[in-house]
Amino acid sequence: MNTHIALQPSPWRRWHALRAGLLLVAALAGPGAWAAPTDSADFVEQLRLARRLAAYAQANDDALAMLAAARVMAETGAARSRSDPQQPGEPLADAYFDRAEALARGRADLAALIADARAARLRHSRAGGDVRTSVVLGGGRLRVRLNYTLGQRARFGIDPDPTDSVTLRVLGPGQELLCELSTQREQRGYVECEWLPQQAGDTTILILNPNPRAVEVMYFHN
């Protein structure tokens, strides 16, 4: 009896196919494909994708993957948080494009792709959220102070590793509690506080890490 056995693609082949499709869409799509995230969930997912692609690209010396990461990051419109003392307001995609150029090492074909993508970002830039990544020590907390416009909806969110429980606490100018959320209760991993500022002055945001080890947390806000 003849038995036909269907060979399953290896994990490497599946990843290779996925990567090829992802890079083609992210790095080579025309300007019309640029799309800003529609809500916080999309924004966070695109940030995660860009960071994963960038980590892969750096580990594998892959300029094309880094270019894809830069394109995805550019689509978020994300910029350095105004709480960051180093170049606040700078588009986060710029650093990714710089890394892509460094990894390309003078290859003319990749250099042309990177230059075109960087120019497209400038032509089709959109306002996104302010973003910063920080490490919160085990059992410690990170304090961020921001000034929001009165009467305009304020937002602040955190996205730690899904396996880590982290608490976000927002205090008004009079140290009144405006919002408190824990990632432990959210299956999506990130949490986001929204409120309407009613008093002038700085808002204090606390990111609390109850874990015994340090945790890397990406936070985003308007």
Side-chain angles (χ1 to χ4, degrees):
M1 181 176 70
N2 293 327
T3 303
H4 176 71
I5 301 176
L7 296 177
Q8 298 296 319
S10 68
W12 182 87
R13 288 183 180 276
R14 288 197 298 270
W15 161 243
H16 183 75
L18 174 64
R19 175 182 176 274
L22 180 60
L23 297 186
L24 182 62
V25 171
L28 303 181
W34 289 65
T38 57
D39 57 27
S40 293
D42 289 344
F43 184 69
V44 171
E45 284 303 319
Q46 285 185 258
L47 289 174
R48 290 173 178 173
L49 175 58
R51 295 176 70 192
R52 287 195 296 267
L53 276 170
Y56 168 84
Q58 201 67 48
N60 292 275
D61 201 27
D62 191 328
L64 189 56
M66 188 63 77
L67 174 57
R71 285 296 308 269
V72 175
M73 183 61 77
E75 288 169 4
T76 69
R80 287 184 185 271
S81 168
R82 58 183 182 273
S83 68
D84 191 335
Q86 297 183 345
Q87 297 177 299
E90 177 191 44
L92 290 186
D94 284 356
Y96 285 64
F97 282 120
D98 290 343
R99 292 181 209 170
E101 289 175 346
L103 291 173
R105 294 190 179 89
R107 283 184 52 184
D109 55 342
L110 289 181
L113 281 176
I114 295 167
D116 287 346
R118 192 189 285 269
R121 183 197 69 75
L122 295 175
R123 291 195 302 270
H124 302 277
S125 61
R126 294 177 172 87
D130 284 17
V131 178
R132 188 178 182 183
T133 300
S134 296
V135 174
V136 187
L137 297 178
R141 64 182 184 178
L142 175 68
R143 182 189 300 268
V144 180
R145 291 187 183 275
L146 295 173
N147 194 285
Y148 287 93
T149 303
L150 291 178
Q152 292 186 9
R153 181 66 60 180
R155 296 167 49 249
F156 194 101
I158 58 173
D159 182 38
D161 188 287
T163 61
D164 294 316
S165 173
V166 179
T167 297
L168 170 63
R169 185 178 298 160
V170 179
L171 304 175
Q175 297 302 293
E176 68 279 10
L177 181 64
L178 300 177
C179 176
E180 182 168 317
L181 295 171
S182 171
T183 60
Q184 188 174 29
R185 297 190 294 268
E186 297 290 335
Q187 293 184 352
R188 63 189 178 186
Y190 80 93
V191 294
E192 181 182 23
C193 284
E194 290 192 14
W195 70 97
L196 193 65
Q198 301 289 348
Q199 301 180 50
D202 285 345
T203 298
T204 300
I205 295 96
L206 299 175
I207 302 173
L208 311 172
N209 175 21
N211 304 283
R213 65 188 181 284
V215 171
E216 184 180 74
V217 178
M218 179 187 72
Y219 63 80
F220 55 97
H221 58 89
N222 65 349

